[in-house]
């Protein structure tokens, strides 16, 4: 059982977000998938299986537990499945996940780069009623660095994360998360991650800058470039900051793994339909497991 290492949301190996990919996981038990993900050690490993209701089925595991959805894992898996001819190349495919059957569209740029546009679950928000002081403390900043212009909210387009608006880009350089304390601060959703962001960016074509600090239950500390959190940030931006149909999120600079996620936002009657666009690039084979 080979595990392939891909970097998503970048076309440069060593940048973006690393993901493990297992291309033929039909014979694996849940316990074995979890064991492999723990040994691989990256933020998520995607396991591809046959589906009776879609073109492919994907399951996603951190070193600590299974995730309902993973944006960068999906990008990596579709890229790997296409390169190794597990999927018939086509412009649109259906992917079975734990949040439902999601569409992934594929287009190519003039230089031959494959771009994948992935549907996410409809955006959902819940209020944060915890302490701003304690929240600032567990991500390594002061309460005065948090913005009071927009609300701190839990958001979900596949997984729950706490969206935390910051005043300035400078704050991101010295953030140091105390992940073990997250559950005591996130009392409404103790298994959620924390996703600080600001509107000041490094790259002029980006709309938002962010970092993503993992739930302590995941077995990781920080995710370099997050697809699901970027997706719900798009809905947050359209709902609370400025009505728009697209944004670009930059992430990973503080980890030396710069990447970008394009987010497409379609306002519905009671929610936002979200899609994200990105790339993935092969890095190497992680190893073989039995």
């Amino acid at each position: 059982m080979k595990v392939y290492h891909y970097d998503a949301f970048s076309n440069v190996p060593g940048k973006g977000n690393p993901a493990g990919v297992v291309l033929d996981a039909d014979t694996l038990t849940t316990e074995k998938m979890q064991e492999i993900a723990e040994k691989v050690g990256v933020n998520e490993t995607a396991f591809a299986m046959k589906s009776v209701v879609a073109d492919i089925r994907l399951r996603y595991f951190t070193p600590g537990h299974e995730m309902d959805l993973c944006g960068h894992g999906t990008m990596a898996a579709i890229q790997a499945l296409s390169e190794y001819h597990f999927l018939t190349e086509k412009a649109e495919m259906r992917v079975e996940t734990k949040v439902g059957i999601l569409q992934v569209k594929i287009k190519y740029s003039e230089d031959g780069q494959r771009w994948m546009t992935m549907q996410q679950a409809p955006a959902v928000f819940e209020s944060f009623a915890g302490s701003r002081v304690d929240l600032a403390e567990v991500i390594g900043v002061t309460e005065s660095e948090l913005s009071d212009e927009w609300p701190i909210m839990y958001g979900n387009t596949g997984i729950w994360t706490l969206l935390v608006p910051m005043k300035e880009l400078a704050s991101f350089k010295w953030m140091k998360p105390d992940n073990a304390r997250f559950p005591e601060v996130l009392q409404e959703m103790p298994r959620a991650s924390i996703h600080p962001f600001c509107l000041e960016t490094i790259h002029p074509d980006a709309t938002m800058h962010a970092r993503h600090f993992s739930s302590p239950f995941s077995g990781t500390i920080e995710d370099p470039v997050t697809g699901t959190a970027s997706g719900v940030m798009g809905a947050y931006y359209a709902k609370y900051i400025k009505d728009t149909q697209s944004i670009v999120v930059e992430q990973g600079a503080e980890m030396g793994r710069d990447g970008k996620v394009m987010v497409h936002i379609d306002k519905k009657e009671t929610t936002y339909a979200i899609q994200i666009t990105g790339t993935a690039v092969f890095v190497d084979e992680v190893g073989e497991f039995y």
Side-chain angles (χ1 to χ4, degrees), residues 120-161:
Q120 296 192 341
V124 180
F125 295 100
E126 296 287 346
S127 297
F128 170 72
S131 164
R132 288 170 58 94
V133 173
D134 291 345
L135 173 60
E137 189 175 291
V138 298
I139 61 173
V141 298
T142 63
E143 194 274 337
S144 64
E145 293 173 81
L146 306 183
S147 173
D148 54 12
E149 192 170 354
W150 305 292
I152 299 170
M153 298 289 292
Y154 293 99
N156 186 327
T157 53
I159 58 169
W160 285 104
T161 191

Side-chain angles (χ1 to χ4, degrees), residues 18-37:
V21 179
V22 176
L23 295 174
D24 189 6
D26 294 277
T27 62
L28 297 180
T29 63
T30 296
E31 292 74 21
K32 190 64 176 179
M33 289 186 231
Q34 186 63 72
E35 178 188 331
I36 291 171

Side-chain angles (χ1 to χ4, degrees), residues 151-199:
I152 299 170
M153 298 289 292
Y154 293 99
N156 186 327
T157 53
I159 58 169
W160 285 104
T161 191
L162 185 70
L163 301 170
V164 184
M166 305 293 299
K167 290 179 181 177
E168 297 180 347
L169 180 64
S171 298
F172 289 77
K173 295 179 181 179
W174 54 74
M175 285 180 177
K176 188 175 182 180
D178 186 354
N179 304 64
R181 290 187 56 203
F182 286 6
E184 70 183 64
V185 177
L186 310 180
Q187 294 188 10
E188 303 92 347
M189 296 189 187
R191 299 187 72 88
S193 54
I194 298 180
H195 196 79
F197 70 88
C198 71
L199 301 190

Side-chain angles (χ1 to χ4, degrees), residues 36-263:
I36 291 171
E38 183 179 3
K39 288 180 178 178
V40 172
V42 295
N43 285 293
E44 276 90 11
T45 296
F47 295 83
M49 290 155 276
K50 296 180 178 67
S51 171
V52 296
V53 295
D55 295 297
I56 200 76
R57 180 187 178 200
L58 293 178
R59 293 178 70 180
Y60 316 91
F61 289 79
T62 74
H65 60 80
E66 184 171 8
M67 302 282 284
D68 289 344
L69 187 66
C70 175
H72 83 277
T74 302
M75 300 286 168
I78 297 299
Q79 181 77 10
L81 287 162
S82 298
E83 289 183 347
Y84 285 91
H85 308 294
F86 277 76
L87 285 174
T88 302
E89 195 72 37
K90 55 184 179 179
E92 188 171 318
M93 62 186 64
R94 288 157 51 86
V95 179
E96 180 186 354
T97 73
K98 286 205 165 187
V99 302
I101 297 173
L102 305 178
Q103 291 183 330
V104 177
K105 300 176 183 177
I106 297 176
K107 291 185 177 180
Y108 292 86
S109 55
E110 291 183 0
D111 61 359
Q113 175 68 57
R114 181 185 285 107
W115 291 87
M116 292 158 282
T117 297
M118 170 192 171
Q119 179 188 11
Q120 296 192 341
V124 180
F125 295 100
E126 296 287 346
S127 297
F128 170 72
S131 164
R132 288 170 58 94
V133 173
D134 291 345
L135 173 60
E137 189 175 291
V138 298
I139 61 173
V141 298
T142 63
E143 194 274 337
S144 64
E145 293 173 81
L146 306 183
S147 173
D148 54 12
E149 192 170 354
W150 305 292
I152 299 170
M153 298 289 292
Y154 293 99
N156 186 327
T157 53
I159 58 169
W160 285 104
T161 191
L162 185 70
L163 301 170
V164 184
M166 305 293 299
K167 290 179 181 177
E168 297 180 347
L169 180 64
S171 298
F172 289 77
K173 295 179 181 179
W174 54 74
M175 285 180 177
K176 188 175 182 180
D178 186 354
N179 304 64
R181 290 187 56 203
F182 286 6
E184 70 183 64
V185 177
L186 310 180
Q187 294 188 10
E188 303 92 347
M189 296 189 187
R191 299 187 72 88
S193 54
I194 298 180
H195 196 79
F197 70 88
C198 71
L199 301 190
E200 187 180 0
T201 63
I202 297 170
H203 301 285
D205 62 337
T207 315
M208 306 173 83
H209 181 89
R211 292 182 72 174
H212 187 85
F213 301 128
S214 308
S215 162
F217 301 100
S218 70
T220 60
I221 302 298
E222 182 171 0
D223 214 339
V225 192
T226 46
T228 47
S230 294
V232 80
M233 275 215 307
Y236 180 102
Y237 187 94
K239 182 178 177 68
Y240 295 105
I241 300 174
K242 182 181 178 182
D243 188 21
T244 187
Q245 293 183 321
S246 65
I247 66 168
V248 175
V249 178
E250 63 177 26
Q251 197 184 327
E254 292 81 6
M255 300 180 73
R257 299 194 65 97
D258 310 58
K260 292 180 182 177
V261 183
M262 289 174 275
V263 185

Side-chain angles (χ1 to χ4, degrees), residues 268-280:
K268 301 297 184 182
E269 195 169 313
T270 59
T271 186
Y272 292 86
I274 299 296
Q275 297 182 90
I276 60 170
T277 296
T279 58

